[in-house]
Amino acid sequence: MKISTKKQAALNDECTLIRRQFDPDAADNDVPEIEIRAEVFCGIFSINENEYYEAAREGLRMVCGIVVRTDEENGADEVDLYGKVYAIERKYRRVDGYTEIYLREKP
């Protein structure tokens, strides 16, 4: 795992983007129907101190961020990074064809 900067677009690591599709059951509750996984190359970057403490103030534990190619981003809700699944806190599309995804620990 190589920690890089947000601006660096070197995709040296691999992760799995996980998107869950939900369908209503008989009681009209959304239940996970299917899990769509996409293995992609990514670049890992650390979040800055301000982002970390802003998240902590809201009770969240931000871990890191990843950069993926925008055309490979599948609308994921979670990311499997080195065998651990993280929730996606937010995403930013960049003008250079990449998307920044900020990850937090799942409760």
Side-chain angles (χ1 to χ4, degrees):
M1 170 163 75
K2 178 180 177 253
I3 300 292
S4 58
T5 65
K6 288 189 254 187
K7 295 178 182 173
Q8 181 183 8
L11 307 178
N12 298 327
D13 298 286
E14 291 183 45
C15 67
T16 303
L17 301 176
I18 304 167
R19 179 171 56 114
R20 290 191 169 79
Q21 264 183 306
F22 293 90
D23 285 329
D25 62 4
D28 206 28
N29 298 318
D30 282 339
V31 292
E33 179 73 20
I34 187 172
E35 186 176 273
I36 301 166
R37 293 177 161 260
E39 291 191 23
V40 298
F41 287 102
C42 66
I44 301 171
F45 62 89
S46 58
I47 59 172
N48 67 36
E49 186 177 337
N50 186 42
E51 290 170 319
Y52 180 84
Y53 287 113
E54 282 294 319
R57 191 177 324 169
E58 296 178 24
L60 303 174
R61 172 105 165 68
M62 297 295 281
V63 177
C64 66
I66 61 172
V67 176
V68 297
R69 289 174 45 100
T70 298
D71 59 350
E72 293 178 337
E73 199 274 315
N74 66 350
D77 308 307
E78 298 174 333
V79 174
D80 183 340
L81 187 62
Y82 294 109
K84 185 164 181 182
V85 178
Y86 299 98
I88 294 177
E89 181 59 29
R90 62 181 181 264
K91 302 176 193 178
Y92 294 109
R93 280 193 165 176
R94 300 184 342 191
V95 295
D96 62 356
Y98 294 93
T99 299
E100 293 177 17
I101 301 174
Y102 290 81
L103 307 177
R104 66 176 167 82
E105 287 186 351
K106 291 175 60 172

mmCIF file of all heavy atoms in Angstrom, residues 17-34:
data_model
loop_
_atom_site.group_PDB
_atom_site.id
_atom_site.type_symbol
_atom_site.label_atom_id
_atom_site.label_comp_id
_atom_site.label_asym_id
_atom_site.label_seq_id
_atom_site.Cartn_x
_atom_site.Cartn_y
_atom_site.Cartn_z
ATOM 1 N N LEU A 17 -15.003 -2.163 -5.412
ATOM 2 C CA LEU A 17 -16.132 -1.265 -5.183
ATOM 3 C C LEU A 17 -17.386 -2.132 -5.069
ATOM 4 O O LEU A 17 -17.646 -2.978 -5.929
ATOM 5 C CB LEU A 17 -16.276 -0.276 -6.333
ATOM 6 C CG LEU A 17 -15.064 0.608 -6.602
ATOM 7 C CD1 LEU A 17 -15.315 1.470 -7.832
ATOM 8 C CD2 LEU A 17 -14.746 1.475 -5.414
ATOM 9 N N ILE A 18 -18.164 -1.927 -4.012
ATOM 10 C CA ILE A 18 -19.334 -2.750 -3.743
ATOM 11 C C ILE A 18 -20.589 -1.882 -3.785
ATOM 12 O O ILE A 18 -20.695 -0.894 -3.058
ATOM 13 C CB ILE A 18 -19.232 -3.424 -2.356
ATOM 14 C CG1 ILE A 18 -17.949 -4.224 -2.262
ATOM 15 C CG2 ILE A 18 -20.451 -4.294 -2.093
ATOM 16 C CD1 ILE A 18 -17.606 -4.671 -0.857
ATOM 17 N N ARG A 19 -21.515 -2.275 -4.654
ATOM 18 C CA ARG A 19 -22.805 -1.568 -4.752
ATOM 19 C C ARG A 19 -23.902 -2.569 -4.474
ATOM 20 O O ARG A 19 -23.930 -3.656 -5.052
ATOM 21 C CB ARG A 19 -22.992 -0.959 -6.136
ATOM 22 C CG ARG A 19 -24.316 -0.233 -6.287
ATOM 23 C CD ARG A 19 -24.393 0.535 -7.577
ATOM 24 N NE ARG A 19 -24.166 -0.279 -8.745
ATOM 25 C CZ ARG A 19 -25.080 -0.527 -9.663
ATOM 26 N NH1 ARG A 19 -26.286 -0.031 -9.574
ATOM 27 N NH2 ARG A 19 -24.786 -1.262 -10.708
ATOM 28 N N ARG A 20 -24.810 -2.205 -3.591
ATOM 29 C CA ARG A 20 -25.933 -3.081 -3.261
ATOM 30 C C ARG A 20 -27.199 -2.531 -3.897
ATOM 31 O O ARG A 20 -27.501 -1.356 -3.752
ATOM 32 C CB ARG A 20 -26.099 -3.188 -1.760
ATOM 33 C CG ARG A 20 -24.979 -3.960 -1.122
ATOM 34 C CD ARG A 20 -25.290 -4.284 0.331
ATOM 35 N NE ARG A 20 -24.351 -5.242 0.858
ATOM 36 C CZ ARG A 20 -23.122 -4.962 1.258
ATOM 37 N NH1 ARG A 20 -22.668 -3.741 1.161
ATOM 38 N NH2 ARG A 20 -22.330 -5.896 1.734
ATOM 39 N N GLN A 21 -27.912 -3.408 -4.599
ATOM 40 C CA GLN A 21 -29.204 -3.046 -5.163
ATOM 41 C C GLN A 21 -30.279 -3.526 -4.216
ATOM 42 O O GLN A 21 -30.231 -4.655 -3.729
ATOM 43 C CB GLN A 21 -29.413 -3.699 -6.521
ATOM 44 C CG GLN A 21 -29.045 -2.816 -7.666
ATOM 45 C CD GLN A 21 -29.348 -3.497 -8.977
ATOM 46 O OE1 GLN A 21 -28.903 -4.604 -9.230
ATOM 47 N NE2 GLN A 21 -30.097 -2.830 -9.810
ATOM 48 N N PHE A 22 -31.232 -2.667 -3.938
ATOM 49 C CA PHE A 22 -32.303 -2.998 -3.010
ATOM 50 C C PHE A 22 -33.616 -3.123 -3.763
ATOM 51 O O PHE A 22 -33.892 -2.373 -4.696
ATOM 52 C CB PHE A 22 -32.434 -1.917 -1.935
ATOM 53 C CG PHE A 22 -31.243 -1.849 -1.025
ATOM 54 C CD1 PHE A 22 -30.165 -1.030 -1.329
ATOM 55 C CD2 PHE A 22 -31.196 -2.605 0.118
ATOM 56 C CE1 PHE A 22 -29.067 -0.963 -0.495
ATOM 57 C CE2 PHE A 22 -30.096 -2.545 0.960
ATOM 58 C CZ PHE A 22 -29.036 -1.731 0.661
ATOM 59 N N ASP A 23 -34.441 -4.065 -3.322
ATOM 60 C CA ASP A 23 -35.791 -4.242 -3.854
ATOM 61 C C ASP A 23 -36.751 -4.324 -2.678
ATOM 62 O O ASP A 23 -36.407 -4.883 -1.635
ATOM 63 C CB ASP A 23 -35.879 -5.524 -4.688
ATOM 64 C CG ASP A 23 -35.227 -5.386 -6.051
ATOM 65 O OD1 ASP A 23 -35.229 -4.272 -6.601
ATOM 66 O OD2 ASP A 23 -34.711 -6.389 -6.557
ATOM 67 N N PRO A 24 -37.962 -3.798 -2.831
ATOM 68 C CA PRO A 24 -38.921 -3.867 -1.730
ATOM 69 C C PRO A 24 -39.463 -5.292 -1.555
ATOM 70 O O PRO A 24 -39.671 -6.003 -2.539
ATOM 71 C CB PRO A 24 -40.018 -2.898 -2.146
ATOM 72 C CG PRO A 24 -39.874 -2.743 -3.619
ATOM 73 C CD PRO A 24 -38.455 -3.030 -3.954
ATOM 74 N N ASP A 25 -39.682 -5.672 -0.285
ATOM 75 C CA ASP A 25 -40.299 -6.967 -0.018
ATOM 76 C C ASP A 25 -41.815 -6.780 0.090
ATOM 77 O O ASP A 25 -42.344 -5.718 -0.250
ATOM 78 C CB ASP A 25 -39.699 -7.608 1.235
ATOM 79 C CG ASP A 25 -39.922 -6.784 2.488
ATOM 80 O OD1 ASP A 25 -40.602 -5.737 2.419
ATOM 81 O OD2 ASP A 25 -39.415 -7.184 3.546
ATOM 82 N N ALA A 26 -42.525 -7.780 0.571
ATOM 83 C CA ALA A 26 -43.988 -7.724 0.659
ATOM 84 C C ALA A 26 -44.467 -6.607 1.588
ATOM 85 O O ALA A 26 -45.530 -6.035 1.378
ATOM 86 C CB ALA A 26 -44.529 -9.070 1.133
ATOM 87 N N ALA A 27 -43.675 -6.284 2.623
ATOM 88 C CA ALA A 27 -44.041 -5.226 3.567
ATOM 89 C C ALA A 27 -43.514 -3.865 3.124
ATOM 90 O O ALA A 27 -43.537 -2.910 3.888
ATOM 91 C CB ALA A 27 -43.517 -5.567 4.950
ATOM 92 N N ASP A 28 -43.021 -3.778 1.904
ATOM 93 C CA ASP A 28 -42.492 -2.547 1.310
ATOM 94 C C ASP A 28 -41.235 -2.044 2.006
ATOM 95 O O ASP A 28 -40.957 -0.842 2.021
ATOM 96 C CB ASP A 28 -43.558 -1.454 1.273
ATOM 97 C CG ASP A 28 -43.288 -0.456 0.146
ATOM 98 O OD1 ASP A 28 -42.675 -0.856 -0.856
ATOM 99 O OD2 ASP A 28 -43.681 0.714 0.293
ATOM 100 N N ASN A 29 -40.461 -2.957 2.591
ATOM 101 C CA ASN A 29 -39.156 -2.629 3.164
ATOM 102 C C ASN A 29 -38.082 -2.934 2.127
ATOM 103 O O ASN A 29 -38.174 -3.935 1.429
ATOM 104 C CB ASN A 29 -38.884 -3.457 4.421
ATOM 105 C CG ASN A 29 -39.883 -3.182 5.511
ATOM 106 O OD1 ASN A 29 -40.239 -2.037 5.743
ATOM 107 N ND2 ASN A 29 -40.341 -4.223 6.179
ATOM 108 N N ASP A 30 -37.083 -2.074 2.044
ATOM 109 C CA ASP A 30 -35.980 -2.332 1.127
ATOM 110 C C ASP A 30 -35.070 -3.413 1.701
ATOM 111 O O ASP A 30 -34.590 -3.296 2.820
ATOM 112 C CB ASP A 30 -35.164 -1.064 0.879
ATOM 113 C CG ASP A 30 -35.833 -0.125 -0.093
ATOM 114 O OD1 ASP A 30 -36.693 -0.595 -0.856
ATOM 115 O OD2 ASP A 30 -35.496 1.059 -0.095
ATOM 116 N N VAL A 31 -34.856 -4.450 0.926
ATOM 117 C CA VAL A 31 -33.945 -5.522 1.328
ATOM 118 C C VAL A 31 -32.892 -5.686 0.247
ATOM 119 O O VAL A 31 -33.172 -5.522 -0.940
ATOM 120 C CB VAL A 31 -34.689 -6.863 1.553
ATOM 121 C CG1 VAL A 31 -35.592 -6.780 2.754
ATOM 122 C CG2 VAL A 31 -35.482 -7.259 0.330
ATOM 123 N N PRO A 32 -31.648 -5.983 0.644
ATOM 124 C CA PRO A 32 -30.604 -6.157 -0.372
ATOM 125 C C PRO A 32 -30.922 -7.333 -1.280
ATOM 126 O O PRO A 32 -31.146 -8.441 -0.820
ATOM 127 C CB PRO A 32 -29.339 -6.409 0.423
ATOM 128 C CG PRO A 32 -29.674 -6.246 1.852
ATOM 129 C CD PRO A 32 -31.142 -6.136 1.984
ATOM 130 N N GLU A 33 -30.983 -7.082 -2.549
ATOM 131 C CA GLU A 33 -31.309 -8.112 -3.521
ATOM 132 C C GLU A 33 -30.055 -8.692 -4.158
ATOM 133 O O GLU A 33 -29.911 -9.884 -4.304
ATOM 134 C CB GLU A 33 -32.218 -7.507 -4.596
ATOM 135 C CG GLU A 33 -32.630 -8.450 -5.694
ATOM 136 C CD GLU A 33 -33.653 -9.468 -5.239
ATOM 137 O OE1 GLU A 33 -34.327 -9.242 -4.224
ATOM 138 O OE2 GLU A 33 -33.769 -10.509 -5.923
ATOM 139 N N ILE A 34 -29.155 -7.804 -4.531
ATOM 140 C CA ILE A 34 -27.980 -8.238 -5.275
ATOM 141 C C ILE A 34 -26.790 -7.354 -4.893
ATOM 142 O O ILE A 34 -26.964 -6.182 -4.562
ATOM 143 C CB ILE A 34 -28.260 -8.176 -6.793
ATOM 144 C CG1 ILE A 34 -27.123 -8.787 -7.597
ATOM 145 C CG2 ILE A 34 -28.539 -6.782 -7.234
ATOM 146 C CD1 ILE A 34 -27.447 -8.918 -9.073
#
